[in-house]
mmCIF file of all heavy atoms in Angstrom:
data_model
loop_
_atom_site.group_PDB
_atom_site.id
_atom_site.type_symbol
_atom_site.label_atom_id
_atom_site.label_comp_id
_atom_site.label_asym_id
_atom_site.label_seq_id
_atom_site.Cartn_x
_atom_site.Cartn_y
_atom_site.Cartn_z
ATOM 1 N N TRP A 305 -24.831 30.601 18.407
ATOM 2 C CA TRP A 305 -25.916 29.791 17.859
ATOM 3 C C TRP A 305 -25.508 28.357 17.534
ATOM 4 O O TRP A 305 -26.344 27.579 17.050
ATOM 5 C CB TRP A 305 -26.444 30.453 16.588
ATOM 6 C CG TRP A 305 -27.196 31.717 16.836
ATOM 7 C CD1 TRP A 305 -26.691 32.988 16.790
ATOM 8 C CD2 TRP A 305 -28.586 31.844 17.157
ATOM 9 N NE1 TRP A 305 -27.678 33.894 17.078
ATOM 10 C CE2 TRP A 305 -28.856 33.227 17.303
ATOM 11 C CE3 TRP A 305 -29.623 30.930 17.342
ATOM 12 C CZ2 TRP A 305 -30.122 33.718 17.608
ATOM 13 C CZ3 TRP A 305 -30.886 31.411 17.649
ATOM 14 C CH2 TRP A 305 -31.126 32.787 17.786
ATOM 15 N N LEU A 306 -24.262 27.963 17.756
ATOM 16 C CA LEU A 306 -23.806 26.647 17.327
ATOM 17 C C LEU A 306 -24.644 25.533 17.942
ATOM 18 O O LEU A 306 -25.080 24.601 17.249
ATOM 19 C CB LEU A 306 -22.330 26.453 17.688
ATOM 20 C CG LEU A 306 -21.725 25.095 17.299
ATOM 21 C CD1 LEU A 306 -21.826 24.867 15.798
ATOM 22 C CD2 LEU A 306 -20.276 24.997 17.764
ATOM 23 N N GLY A 307 -24.868 25.588 19.257
ATOM 24 C CA GLY A 307 -25.666 24.555 19.908
ATOM 25 C C GLY A 307 -27.081 24.496 19.371
ATOM 26 O O GLY A 307 -27.659 23.414 19.216
ATOM 27 N N PHE A 308 -27.657 25.656 19.072
ATOM 28 C CA PHE A 308 -29.014 25.693 18.511
ATOM 29 C C PHE A 308 -29.031 25.042 17.132
ATOM 30 O O PHE A 308 -29.920 24.234 16.824
ATOM 31 C CB PHE A 308 -29.488 27.143 18.426
ATOM 32 C CG PHE A 308 -30.905 27.297 17.942
ATOM 33 C CD1 PHE A 308 -31.960 27.237 18.830
ATOM 34 C CD2 PHE A 308 -31.173 27.498 16.599
ATOM 35 C CE1 PHE A 308 -33.267 27.383 18.388
ATOM 36 C CE2 PHE A 308 -32.471 27.640 16.138
ATOM 37 C CZ PHE A 308 -33.527 27.579 17.039
ATOM 38 N N HIS A 309 -28.061 25.372 16.276
ATOM 39 C CA HIS A 309 -27.999 24.762 14.936
ATOM 40 C C HIS A 309 -27.879 23.240 15.049
ATOM 41 O O HIS A 309 -28.541 22.495 14.301
ATOM 42 C CB HIS A 309 -26.805 25.318 14.163
ATOM 43 C CG HIS A 309 -26.982 26.726 13.702
ATOM 44 N ND1 HIS A 309 -27.998 27.131 12.872
ATOM 45 C CD2 HIS A 309 -26.248 27.848 13.964
ATOM 46 C CE1 HIS A 309 -27.895 28.430 12.630
ATOM 47 N NE2 HIS A 309 -26.836 28.889 13.285
ATOM 48 N N ALA A 310 -27.032 22.775 15.958
ATOM 49 C CA ALA A 310 -26.853 21.325 16.122
ATOM 50 C C ALA A 310 -28.147 20.667 16.585
ATOM 51 O O ALA A 310 -28.518 19.590 16.090
ATOM 52 C CB ALA A 310 -25.730 21.045 17.121
ATOM 53 N N ALA A 311 -28.850 21.305 17.535
ATOM 54 C CA ALA A 311 -30.101 20.736 18.044
ATOM 55 C C ALA A 311 -31.163 20.683 16.958
ATOM 56 O O ALA A 311 -31.879 19.677 16.819
ATOM 57 C CB ALA A 311 -30.596 21.561 19.240
ATOM 58 N N VAL A 312 -31.279 21.747 16.161
ATOM 59 C CA VAL A 312 -32.285 21.770 15.095
ATOM 60 C C VAL A 312 -31.948 20.754 14.006
ATOM 61 O O VAL A 312 -32.839 20.084 13.458
ATOM 62 C CB VAL A 312 -32.424 23.189 14.512
ATOM 63 C CG1 VAL A 312 -33.384 23.192 13.319
ATOM 64 C CG2 VAL A 312 -32.927 24.153 15.576
ATOM 65 N N ALA A 313 -30.659 20.602 13.692
ATOM 66 C CA ALA A 313 -30.260 19.614 12.688
ATOM 67 C C ALA A 313 -30.615 18.207 13.148
ATOM 68 O O ALA A 313 -31.141 17.396 12.370
ATOM 69 C CB ALA A 313 -28.755 19.728 12.409
ATOM 70 N N LEU A 314 -30.338 17.888 14.424
ATOM 71 C CA LEU A 314 -30.693 16.571 14.944
ATOM 72 C C LEU A 314 -32.201 16.369 14.937
ATOM 73 O O LEU A 314 -32.698 15.305 14.525
ATOM 74 C CB LEU A 314 -30.145 16.424 16.367
ATOM 75 C CG LEU A 314 -30.507 15.128 17.099
ATOM 76 C CD1 LEU A 314 -29.935 13.915 16.376
ATOM 77 C CD2 LEU A 314 -30.022 15.179 18.545
ATOM 78 N N ALA A 315 -32.943 17.382 15.380
ATOM 79 C CA ALA A 315 -34.397 17.262 15.412
ATOM 80 C C ALA A 315 -34.965 17.088 14.011
ATOM 81 O O ALA A 315 -35.893 16.292 13.794
ATOM 82 C CB ALA A 315 -35.003 18.495 16.085
ATOM 83 N N THR A 316 -34.417 17.799 13.027
ATOM 84 C CA THR A 316 -34.906 17.694 11.656
ATOM 85 C C THR A 316 -34.656 16.311 11.085
ATOM 86 O O THR A 316 -35.432 15.814 10.262
ATOM 87 C CB THR A 316 -34.235 18.765 10.774
ATOM 88 O OG1 THR A 316 -34.487 20.060 11.341
ATOM 89 C CG2 THR A 316 -34.771 18.736 9.357
ATOM 90 N N ALA A 317 -33.576 15.655 11.522
ATOM 91 C CA ALA A 317 -33.322 14.278 11.085
ATOM 92 C C ALA A 317 -34.407 13.336 11.598
ATOM 93 O O ALA A 317 -34.680 12.302 10.982
ATOM 94 C CB ALA A 317 -31.950 13.816 11.571
ATOM 95 N N PHE A 318 -35.035 13.694 12.720
ATOM 96 C CA PHE A 318 -36.125 12.885 13.266
ATOM 97 C C PHE A 318 -37.470 13.231 12.629
ATOM 98 O O PHE A 318 -38.273 12.345 12.350
ATOM 99 C CB PHE A 318 -36.221 13.090 14.783
ATOM 100 C CG PHE A 318 -35.326 12.202 15.585
ATOM 101 C CD1 PHE A 318 -33.950 12.426 15.613
ATOM 102 C CD2 PHE A 318 -35.831 11.140 16.311
ATOM 103 C CE1 PHE A 318 -33.110 11.605 16.363
ATOM 104 C CE2 PHE A 318 -35.004 10.311 17.052
ATOM 105 C CZ PHE A 318 -33.639 10.550 17.077
ATOM 106 N N LYS A 319 -37.705 14.540 12.404
ATOM 107 C CA LYS A 319 -38.970 14.990 11.824
ATOM 108 C C LYS A 319 -38.679 16.205 10.952
ATOM 109 O O LYS A 319 -38.169 17.206 11.443
ATOM 110 C CB LYS A 319 -39.979 15.357 12.918
ATOM 111 C CG LYS A 319 -40.351 14.184 13.823
ATOM 112 C CD LYS A 319 -41.343 14.615 14.899
ATOM 113 C CE LYS A 319 -41.679 13.455 15.827
ATOM 114 N NZ LYS A 319 -42.667 13.828 16.874
ATOM 115 N N PRO A 320 -39.022 16.164 9.668
ATOM 116 C CA PRO A 320 -38.594 17.221 8.736
ATOM 117 C C PRO A 320 -39.041 18.622 9.129
ATOM 118 O O PRO A 320 -38.329 19.591 8.865
ATOM 119 C CB PRO A 320 -39.225 16.794 7.407
ATOM 120 C CG PRO A 320 -39.460 15.328 7.534
ATOM 121 C CD PRO A 320 -39.728 15.066 8.980
ATOM 122 N N PHE A 321 -40.206 18.754 9.764
ATOM 123 C CA PHE A 321 -40.746 20.095 9.989
ATOM 124 C C PHE A 321 -40.027 20.867 11.091
ATOM 125 O O PHE A 321 -40.278 22.060 11.259
ATOM 126 C CB PHE A 321 -42.246 20.010 10.284
ATOM 127 C CG PHE A 321 -43.051 19.566 9.088
ATOM 128 C CD1 PHE A 321 -43.656 18.325 9.067
ATOM 129 C CD2 PHE A 321 -43.149 20.388 7.984
ATOM 130 C CE1 PHE A 321 -44.378 17.908 7.959
ATOM 131 C CE2 PHE A 321 -43.869 19.987 6.863
ATOM 132 C CZ PHE A 321 -44.487 18.744 6.846
ATOM 133 N N TYR A 322 -39.120 20.218 11.813
ATOM 134 C CA TYR A 322 -38.297 20.958 12.761
ATOM 135 C C TYR A 322 -37.382 21.955 12.045
ATOM 136 O O TYR A 322 -36.854 22.877 12.674
ATOM 137 C CB TYR A 322 -37.437 20.004 13.588
ATOM 138 C CG TYR A 322 -38.155 19.323 14.722
ATOM 139 C CD1 TYR A 322 -38.624 18.020 14.589
ATOM 140 C CD2 TYR A 322 -38.353 19.970 15.929
ATOM 141 C CE1 TYR A 322 -39.280 17.386 15.626
ATOM 142 C CE2 TYR A 322 -38.999 19.346 16.982
ATOM 143 C CZ TYR A 322 -39.470 18.044 16.821
ATOM 144 O OH TYR A 322 -40.128 17.427 17.847
ATOM 145 N N ALA A 323 -37.186 21.775 10.745
ATOM 146 C CA ALA A 323 -36.348 22.704 9.987
ATOM 147 C C ALA A 323 -36.879 24.128 10.050
ATOM 148 O O ALA A 323 -36.115 25.091 9.851
ATOM 149 C CB ALA A 323 -36.249 22.249 8.528
ATOM 150 N N ALA A 324 -38.169 24.287 10.350
ATOM 151 C CA ALA A 324 -38.741 25.629 10.462
ATOM 152 C C ALA A 324 -38.051 26.451 11.549
ATOM 153 O O ALA A 324 -38.077 27.689 11.507
ATOM 154 C CB ALA A 324 -40.241 25.540 10.752
ATOM 155 N N PHE A 325 -37.402 25.797 12.512
ATOM 156 C CA PHE A 325 -36.752 26.529 13.595
ATOM 157 C C PHE A 325 -35.531 27.312 13.127
ATOM 158 O O PHE A 325 -35.032 28.163 13.871
ATOM 159 C CB PHE A 325 -36.361 25.572 14.732
ATOM 160 C CG PHE A 325 -37.483 25.312 15.688
ATOM 161 C CD1 PHE A 325 -38.339 24.244 15.496
ATOM 162 C CD2 PHE A 325 -37.700 26.150 16.773
ATOM 163 C CE1 PHE A 325 -39.393 24.013 16.363
ATOM 164 C CE2 PHE A 325 -38.745 25.927 17.647
ATOM 165 C CZ PHE A 325 -39.595 24.851 17.443
ATOM 166 N N TRP A 326 -35.050 27.064 11.909
ATOM 167 C CA TRP A 326 -33.939 27.881 11.421
ATOM 168 C C TRP A 326 -34.382 29.314 11.129
ATOM 169 O O TRP A 326 -33.543 30.193 10.918
ATOM 170 C CB TRP A 326 -33.295 27.239 10.203
ATOM 171 C CG TRP A 326 -32.174 26.337 10.595
ATOM 172 C CD1 TRP A 326 -31.039 26.685 11.287
ATOM 173 C CD2 TRP A 326 -32.063 24.933 10.358
ATOM 174 N NE1 TRP A 326 -30.230 25.585 11.489
ATOM 175 C CE2 TRP A 326 -30.834 24.493 10.930
ATOM 176 C CE3 TRP A 326 -32.861 23.997 9.712
ATOM 177 C CZ2 TRP A 326 -30.397 23.176 10.865
ATOM 178 C CZ3 TRP A 326 -32.436 22.682 9.645
ATOM 179 C CH2 TRP A 326 -31.219 22.275 10.218
ATOM 180 N N ILE A 327 -35.680 29.559 11.154
ATOM 181 C CA ILE A 327 -36.149 30.930 11.008
ATOM 182 C C ILE A 327 -35.724 31.780 12.205
ATOM 183 O O ILE A 327 -35.590 33.003 12.100
ATOM 184 C CB ILE A 327 -37.691 30.957 10.827
ATOM 185 C CG1 ILE A 327 -38.128 32.282 10.233
ATOM 186 C CG2 ILE A 327 -38.405 30.714 12.145
ATOM 187 C CD1 ILE A 327 -39.601 32.322 9.879
ATOM 188 N N VAL A 328 -35.473 31.139 13.352
ATOM 189 C CA VAL A 328 -35.107 31.884 14.563
ATOM 190 C C VAL A 328 -33.732 32.529 14.425
ATOM 191 O O VAL A 328 -33.597 33.757 14.562
ATOM 192 C CB VAL A 328 -35.193 30.987 15.812
ATOM 193 C CG1 VAL A 328 -34.854 31.793 17.069
ATOM 194 C CG2 VAL A 328 -36.588 30.377 15.949
ATOM 195 N N PRO A 329 -32.648 31.792 14.139
ATOM 196 C CA PRO A 329 -31.344 32.462 13.977
ATOM 197 C C PRO A 329 -31.293 33.380 12.760
ATOM 198 O O PRO A 329 -30.561 34.380 12.767
ATOM 199 C CB PRO A 329 -30.350 31.306 13.849
ATOM 200 C CG PRO A 329 -31.162 30.143 13.406
ATOM 201 C CD PRO A 329 -32.510 30.319 14.031
#
């Protein structure tokens, strides 16, 4: 999941609601 965590962290820095994707892992 490392690549997924990195992608979601970057996306959340652009738009806060991308943090919802941490529900997947």
